[in-house]
Amino acid sequence: MASAFTAAAFLLHFQLLLILVLLPPSAAQPGFISLDCGGARDHTDAIGIQWTSDATFVSGGQTAQLLVQNGLQSQQFATVRYFPADNRKYCYTMNVRNRTRYLVRATFLYGNFDNSNVYPKFDISLGASPWSTIVVDDATTPVVEEAIILAAAPTLSVCLSNASTGQPFISTLELRQFNGSLYYTTDETRFFLALSARINFGAESNDSIRYPDDPFDRIWESDSVRRANYLVDVAPGTARISTTKPIFVSINEEPPEKVMQTAVVGQDGYLNYRLDLEGFPANAWGVSYFAEIEDLAPNETRKFKLEVPGMPALSKPTVDVEENAQGKYRLYEPGYTNLSLPFVFSFGFRKTNDSSEGPILNALEIYKYVQITMGSQDASIMASMVSRYSQAGWAQEGGDPCLPASWSWVQCSSEDAPRVFSITLSGKNITGSIPVELTKLSALVELRLDGNSFSGQIPDFSACHNLQYIHLENNQLTGELPPSLGDLPNLKELYVQNNKLSGQVPKSLFKRSIILNFSGNSDLHIVNKGISHTILIICVVIGAIVLLGAAFGCYFFTCRRKKKSHEDTVVIAAPAKKLGSYFSEVATESAHRFSLSEIEDATAKFERRIGSGGFGIVYYGKLADGREIAVKLLTNDSYQGIREFLNEVTLLSRIHHRHLVTFLGYSQQDGKNILVYEFMHNGTLKEHLRGASEEKITSWLKRLEIAEDAAKGIEYLHTGCSPTIIHRDLKSSNILLDKNMRAKVADFGLSKPAVDGSHVSSIVRGTVGYLDPEYYISQQLTEKSDIYSFGVILLELISGHEPISNDNFGLNCRNIVAWARSHIEGGNIHAIIDQSLDRGLLSQRCSRRSRTPSPLSGDPRRCSAPPQSNSSCSCPAATGPWAIPRR
Ligand SMILES: *[C@@H]1O[C@H](CO)[C@@H](O)[C@H](O)[C@H]1NC(C)=O
Ligand SMILES: *[C@@H]1O[C@H](CO)[C@@H](O)[C@H](O)[C@H]1NC(C)=O
Ligand SMILES: *[C@@H]1O[C@H](CO)[C@@H](O)[C@H](O)[C@H]1NC(C)=O
Ligand SMILES: *[C@@H]1O[C@H](CO)[C@@H](O)[C@H](O)[C@H]1NC(C)=O
Ligand SMILES: *[C@@H]1O[C@H](CO)[C@@H](O)[C@H](O)[C@H]1NC(C)=O
Ligand SMILES: *[C@@H]1O[C@H](CO)[C@@H](O)[C@H](O)[C@H]1NC(C)=O
Ligand SMILES: *[C@@H]1O[C@H](CO)[C@@H](O)[C@H](O)[C@H]1NC(C)=O
Ligand SMILES: *[C@@H]1O[C@H](CO)[C@@H](O)[C@H](O)[C@H]1NC(C)=O
Ligand SMILES: *[C@@H]1O[C@H](CO)[C@@H](O)[C@H](O)[C@H]1NC(C)=O
């Protein structure tokens, strides 16, 4: 929820200038942190708050001056700190007392600081918990966010991330420590409170009340300030009253006296208001503050009830302020600690029949409960590790290592409580021993510490069962290679070259398929002294059963042959090992590995070719168990290395959907990269739209069903996978049909996952006619590019034409999109409908559903009209809504 000050609220600062003169100069504010983001100098503002520069609380970002000012703001609003709009998060970290409640306030005054007049939109989070989305829609009005949270650690961080427009920025960040329990809630470890409304009723001016009137510097907004859809629908007869007499507020967290000294009363017997609560419906914490500030006669009474439409239960208790507060000029604060409120919250107070006076209302606070996100399971280990490197930039990124975005050198799994699975600290000039915390990251798969100055021994990583890649090369490590490394069940690569290691390479490292490089360690020797330690062994063992015997046979065989090679590299490839541990937290199954001979048997040595694509040729095969398969033999240049191929295979193996062609396994042997899929009996959609006439699908319903099937498959790639998978090459020849003519999407296999669901720049891939023109121009790949291609497939289904044709679309028109658009814009949608479509069914379907207009015709009555062929297509330039998807 984003509440905004009006400019007028800042008048306060100037009016208080006079008062300031009387204040002791720079009275310290215990429990306050007031950061002037982007500000260079410390200063004290008009109300006495001491602002300090934010430079030591945040790592990164740049500072800027506002270019547009509203003439009212104080110095702390004249600058901002802003951050790149990337996938990272940028965090402020403040020291707090554990188990203490804090008010956190962040303000954002855009002021066109970047001279681009693009109003930024980005997210903020409190630690790992999403807090709010900051949407700037006015350059001169600050957006203000406030939350009350119980600190659960010695630091509290506020992070900016996920910019969807502009660059994330911040103007001020304030922390106010509470020392009472007014804001205690029963579930403080699971929820924090985000401010929705804090209103001072009957206020004497438009100025809000805050420090020093409020020792905790809450901002009590004046009820006379009118904002669109905020505090409206004020009932007739609402009068403002005030007093100068002192008000007794029992604890100092209650509203300041100045707030309680004004109120509204309903002279006609009732008060009514409407509040639009942004971000609602939600569960809310709401408290009303009452104090009798009129001197009522003994025969006068003030009793009233809360009235909320649709919530009669709230009207049960009767408020009798004087009696409840045990006297006049004393505070009474009834409220509801967990109330489900709608977006438009109408509420009122109505006097009871036996009350002589109408209701009174002095102040009100409403907060939304926001769920506290469980952070990474490895958060405390990581915090302890980075605390060793207080001088290094990479260690100051702050916040949770994984959420809402991971640190730049960390990769996390996508569970609710993510685990760190990859750490890359290559070439960071790190000295000292390898931090022992790393050995406690039990989900770690990849560890890259190469190119630093790490010294001392390699610690014991035996608790990291998932470790696959360990890169410690080019450091100053000493001691022996721990034998426990060989016991890591998933280890694939161990690089320790160019260190000062000594002793013998443990035997256990030779047992399995581990790529080991230990050259450049002059005192490190291979166990078997009989064999030179300068060896290169590359052997590929086929089949799972022959593994040990064959491995050793091969080992000795090649050892001798390659004896002269001058590299300390031992590469022993062994049998099919379970993959998938890279995503082990996500994937339950892992890819099956076929042996090359199995594939060769199944395909009769790649006899029957059934298709080809950008990545290779597809062959028909039949496994020994009778299953029919499609075998894709990838062209050799598809992959740069073993790693990439295996990563993609792992990715493929976790994608399962009824409308995606099932991936059965892979084979990687003799330099051949092979993917194995289920066989789709009825070939491609393309063949069934434009192939031989007996194959052609003429049923409109069937085509609709195919469209729906494909859409479901694509939707799953976009929304069901994490990270999102963008297909990049959707076309009718990639929509396959099974025995029952149900459609499945194929070839998604080699789509690279999108980073964070957003933009990934890569070489434009795709097929002419299906390419999203925007993607082509910008090379910014998003799901929208797939949607564009899918739209082209829909046009193919409707028209039966291919996307690019020299003959079908009339003069000067080669493109189905332009052709369809010209007809649709000309009001003749029928002209694009395939003439061979079964029109009986089409009209039947239309008349059956005559109440809902057919998506094709718009008008059910015209639905059965015979499609007209119109070959005069003007083919407008490739712009407009059809060519460029609107954002
Ligand atoms: C903070 O307090 C909570 C609850 O008492 C405790 O579980 C947690 O360990 C503390 N954290 C630190 C870092 O002291
Ligand atoms: C990032 O912002 C977009 C648009 O505001 C939103 O749809 C998406 O859920 C956000 N992503 C995360 C991880 O919060
Ligand atoms: C915190 O509470 C103490 C009394 O327990 C009070 O004297 C002090 O002023 C309070 N702090 C603030 C900032 O109000
Ligand atoms: C208070 O603000 C309202 C608009 O929100 C404005 O119409 C009114 O003139 C202001 N009053 C004063 C005294 O500034
Ligand atoms: C209270 O008493 C005064 C006279 O003492 C009278 O004028 C007034 O109307 C009474 N008010 C009510 C509500 O009875
Ligand atoms: C509020 O009530 C709802 C439903 O009764 C419950 O699910 C939620 O956890 C409660 N929230 C808090 C903070 O107690
Ligand atoms: C108050 O008076 C109104 C009409 O005079 C009546 O409808 C209502 O029931 C009364 N309420 C109570 C609680 O007596
Ligand atoms: C590496 O760290 C040392 C101090 O530990 C420092 O003197 C040196 O400048 C650093 N080098 C780089 C490239 O950061
Ligand atoms: C092993 O390390 C050495 C030294 O860095 C390097 O020259 C060699 O290419 C490496 N071998 C492999 C297979 O990576």
Side-chain angles (χ1 to χ4, degrees):
M1 118 97 220
S3 69
F5 284 160
T6 63
F10 287 89
L11 270 172
L12 174 70
H13 300 184
F14 292 84
Q15 299 196 339
L16 279 168
L17 258 176
L18 279 177
I19 304 168
L20 245 194
V21 180
L22 307 172
L23 286 175
S26 69
Q29 290 128 15
F32 279 31
I33 296 178
S34 309
L35 301 183
D36 171 7
C37 303
R41 273 168 293 111
D42 296 356
H43 63 100
T44 302
D45 73 3
I47 58 172
I49 292 176
Q50 297 171 354
W51 295 91
T52 56
S53 164
D54 64 335
T56 57
F57 291 82
V58 64
S59 150
Q62 287 175 279
T63 65
Q65 298 274 334
L66 300 200
L67 299 178
V68 179
Q69 310 203 346
N70 63 9
L72 291 172
Q73 73 243 198
S74 320
Q75 188 179 338
Q76 64 270 23
F77 284 101
T79 55
V80 296
R81 182 176 295 272
Y82 66 98
F83 305 94
D86 55 19
N87 292 323
R88 285 184 54 186
K89 64 169 183 280
Y90 295 90
C91 297
Y92 281 84
T93 304
M94 295 168 287
N95 291 329
V96 292
R97 271 170 55 188
N98 196 6
R99 309 296 307 160
T100 303
R101 231 163 270 118
Y102 286 88
L103 179 147
V104 190
R105 181 164 48 227
T107 69
F108 308 87
L109 179 59
Y110 172 57
N112 195 23
F113 70 84
D114 55 359
N115 200 15
S116 74
N117 274 313
V118 173
Y119 291 164
K121 179 180 172 191
F122 54 92
D123 292 344
I124 56 171
S125 57
L126 261 180
S129 312
W131 176 4
S132 182
T133 298
I134 304 300
V135 183
V136 172
D137 44 30
D138 171 0
T140 57
T141 307
V143 175
V144 181
E145 294 291 342
E146 250 189 48
I148 292 177
I149 188 165
L150 183 74
T155 58
L156 185 68
S157 49
V158 173
C159 307
L160 285 69
S161 65
N162 194 25
S164 41
T165 55
Q167 300 179 86
F169 73 98
I170 183 165
S171 302
T172 68
L173 184 59
E174 297 159 78
L175 201 63
R176 312 290 183 234
Q177 181 184 334
F178 286 112
N179 65 3
S181 56
L182 179 68
Y183 297 102
Y184 165 81
T185 64
T186 51
D187 225 347
E188 285 181 297
T189 52
R190 285 178 54 226
F191 298 94
F192 68 86
L193 298 172
L195 181 69
S196 301
R198 187 190 291 122
I199 303 166
N200 171 23
F201 284 93
E204 289 180 314
S205 74
N206 280 354
D207 303 332
S208 43
I209 291 176
R210 60 182 291 184
Y211 188 84
D213 292 303
D214 186 329
F216 300 100
D217 194 24
R218 287 162 296 185
I219 294 174
W220 299 83
E221 276 192 274
S222 164
D223 68 336
S224 60
V225 173
R226 292 279 165 265
R227 292 209 307 261
N229 299 329
Y230 188 56
L231 193 64
V232 292
D233 289 358
V234 183
T238 300
R240 313 169 83 78
I241 58 170
S242 65
T243 180
T244 51
K245 292 189 183 166
I247 312 274
F248 177 78
V249 291
S250 55
I251 58 166
N252 61 5
E253 267 178 21
E254 280 163 352
E257 186 175 69
K258 196 167 171 189
V259 168
M260 296 306 296
Q261 280 172 333
T262 62
V264 287
V265 290
Q267 289 174 330
D268 295 348
Y270 54 90
L271 290 169
N272 273 330
Y273 288 100
R274 197 190 81 208
L275 269 174
D276 280 6
L277 299 171
E278 264 183 74
F280 280 70
N283 292 324
W285 182 97
V287 166
S288 44
Y289 300 98
F290 304 110
E292 185 54 78
I293 57 170
E294 274 189 326
D295 292 312
L296 300 183
N299 61 350
E300 289 173 328
T301 55
R302 192 192 302 280
K303 291 196 242 174
F304 53 92
K305 291 179 175 210
L306 174 62
E307 273 185 352
V308 178
M311 296 184 181
L314 300 187
S315 305
K316 287 211 179 102
T318 302
V319 180
D320 180 334
V321 177
E322 241 187 281
E323 194 179 300
N324 293 131
Q326 296 164 15
K328 293 181 201 300
Y329 303 101
R330 293 174 70 92
L331 178 129
Y332 172 55
E333 41 173 17
Y336 287 93
T337 56
N338 188 1
L339 203 55
S340 173
L341 293 184
F343 172 57
V344 178
F345 177 47
S346 294
F347 67 96
F349 295 95
R350 182 176 294 275
K351 81 175 194 68
T352 58
N353 290 353
D354 58 346
S355 169
S356 65
E357 307 301 308
I360 189 169
L361 177 61
N362 306 59
L364 179 79
E365 276 186 290
I366 296 177
Y367 293 83
K368 175 178 149 180
Y369 279 109
V370 181
Q371 187 130 22
I372 293 177
T373 303
M374 213 194 325
S376 161
Q377 289 180 56
D378 298 318
S380 58
I381 298 173
M382 295 296 282
S384 155
M385 182 199 141
V386 296
S387 69
R388 295 168 181 268
Y389 304 98
S390 55
Q391 303 303 314
W394 57 268
Q396 313 306 318
E397 293 188 21
D400 185 89
C402 300
L403 293 173
S406 54
W407 289 341
S408 58
W409 46 280
V410 166
Q411 280 178 277
C412 301
S413 62
S414 53
E415 304 153 88
D416 283 345
R419 306 296 309 269
V420 171
F421 75 72
S422 166
I423 287 186
T424 304
L425 286 171
S426 308
K428 299 276 191 210
N429 196 20
I430 310 172
T431 55
S433 53
I434 293 178
V436 67
E437 285 86 358
L438 292 175
T439 65
K440 298 177 185 157
L441 296 169
S442 54
L444 199 61
V445 172
E446 179 173 34
L447 178 63
R448 291 175 182 271
L449 303 178
D450 50 290
N452 287 293
S453 303
F454 281 115
S455 54
Q457 305 214 338
I458 297 176
D460 178 8
F461 281 102
S462 51
C464 308
H465 290 287
N466 295 317
L467 260 178
Q468 294 184 26
Y469 308 101
I470 303 180
H471 283 250
L472 304 176
E473 66 267 28
N474 304 323
N475 278 294
Q476 309 287 322
L477 295 167
T478 52
E480 304 200 340
L481 268 180
S484 60
L485 287 173
D487 300 331
L488 290 171
N490 296 301
L491 190 62
K492 292 202 171 68
E493 288 178 14
L494 176 60
Y495 282 56
V496 293
Q497 64 266 32
N498 303 329
N499 277 290
K500 296 174 175 163
L501 297 170
S502 54
Q504 297 187 330
V505 178
K507 279 196 188 112
S508 52
L509 286 170
F510 294 106
K511 283 188 203 141
R512 288 177 299 107
S513 62
I514 296 171
I515 300 173
L516 170 65
N517 193 340
F518 60 91
S519 70
N521 290 280
S522 47
D523 293 331
L524 186 61
H525 303 284
I526 203 156
V527 188
N528 192 339
K529 290 250 164 72
I531 303 166
S532 158
H533 74 266
T534 56
I535 43 173
L536 170 71
I537 305 167
I538 299 175
C539 59
V540 176
V541 183
I542 306 164
I545 307 150
V546 265
L547 88 106
L548 263 183
F552 278 111
C554 188
Y555 174 92
F556 285 107
F557 174 64
T558 26
C559 287
R560 295 205 172 101
R561 246 187 13 177
K562 300 262 178 141
K563 206 167 176 172
K564 295 262 157 67
S565 169
H566 288 285
E567 279 180 79
D568 284 354
T569 306
V570 182
V571 182
I572 304 177
K577 262 218 51 71
K578 270 206 156 185
L579 283 166
S581 32
Y582 212 74
F583 297 90
S584 59
E585 304 294 343
V586 188
T588 47
E589 292 140 286
S590 45
H592 179 74
R593 179 164 176 173
F594 292 92
S595 69
L596 185 57
S597 60
E598 228 177 319
I599 300 289
E600 283 174 345
D601 288 350
T603 57
K605 288 211 155 53
F606 303 103
E607 190 187 62
R608 188 176 143 204
R609 178 175 164 152
I610 54 175
S612 66
F615 286 95
I617 299 170
V618 186
Y619 298 92
Y620 173 82
K622 193 167 189 172
L623 290 173
D625 63 9
R627 270 188 298 168
E628 291 174 284
I629 54 174
V631 173
K632 178 177 272 183
L633 181 58
L634 299 181
T635 47
N636 278 337
D637 52 3
S638 307
Y639 287 94
Q640 279 154 19
I642 307 172
R643 270 285 289 293
E644 273 108 277
F645 178 71
L646 292 187
N647 284 345
E648 294 253 297
V649 163
T650 314
L651 174 68
L652 277 177
S653 66
R654 64 190 177 102
I655 307 172
H656 301 280
H657 189 270
R658 186 141 50 114
H659 296 297
L660 296 176
V661 174
T662 307
F663 174 66
L664 297 175
Y666 74 104
S667 173
Q668 192 185 40
Q669 220 171 301
D670 295 0
K672 287 191 168 76
N673 291 328
I674 293 171
L675 300 173
V676 180
Y677 295 91
E678 66 174 318
F679 176 65
M680 297 289 284
H681 287 83
N682 275 310
T684 70
L685 171 62
K686 184 178 178 177
E687 297 160 27
H688 290 278
L689 289 177
R690 291 183 290 278
S693 56
E694 69 268 20
E695 283 185 338
K696 194 154 173 164
I697 300 169
T698 55
S699 154
W700 163 242
L701 277 183
K702 193 71 229 170
R703 289 197 189 179
L704 194 60
E705 191 175 71
I706 289 169
E708 207 177 326
D709 289 350
K712 285 177 182 162
I714 297 162
E715 188 199 22
Y716 179 78
L717 290 175
H718 289 178
T719 62
C721 304
S722 177
T724 294
I725 291 167
I726 298 173
H727 189 294
R728 302 207 282 167
D729 197 13
L730 284 171
K731 50 184 172 182
S732 53
S733 55
N734 272 337
I735 310 286
L736 304 187
L737 299 167
D738 70 7
K739 268 186 188 141
N740 306 314
M741 294 295 283
R742 296 306 297 251
K744 299 189 184 194
V745 176
D747 217 20
F748 53 88
L750 310 170
S751 341
K752 292 267 187 287
V755 174
D756 248 1
S758 55
H759 315 294
V760 177
S761 247
S762 53
I763 304 154
V764 171
R765 177 194 160 196
T767 302
V768 176
Y770 295 91
L771 259 185
D772 168 12
E774 196 179 28
Y775 166 40
Y776 192 80
I777 293 161
S778 68
Q779 307 215 356
Q780 292 288 299
L781 185 65
T782 72
E783 296 96 311
K784 290 174 190 169
S785 315
D786 279 354
I787 303 300
Y788 181 91
S789 312
F790 181 62
V792 175
I793 295 173
L794 289 181
L795 287 178
E796 284 184 81
L797 279 164
I798 293 167
S799 69
H801 290 311
E802 50 202 311
I804 298 286
S805 162
N806 285 330
D807 323 316
N808 291 329
F809 303 135
L811 231 51
N812 299 328
C813 191
R814 294 185 60 234
N815 178 313
I816 195 169
V817 174
W819 168 75
R821 186 178 51 219
S822 74
H823 283 301
I824 291 166
E825 282 171 356
N828 187 9
I829 196 164
H830 303 286
I832 70 164
I833 298 173
D834 189 347
Q835 294 203 49
S836 62
L837 265 184
D838 182 345
R839 246 164 284 141
L841 250 180
L842 183 61
S843 55
Q844 194 188 0
R845 187 176 170 85
C846 289
S847 56
R848 193 154 47 84
R849 310 178 121 213
S850 58
R851 275 159 183 276
T852 41
S854 148
L856 269 186
S857 69
D859 180 352
R861 281 163 305 164
R862 293 197 302 168
C863 190
S864 55
Q868 299 152 21
S869 166
N870 183 346
S871 58
S872 69
C873 159
S874 60
C875 216
T879 53
W882 276 82
I884 308 282
R886 275 173 293 196
R887 296 215 166 257

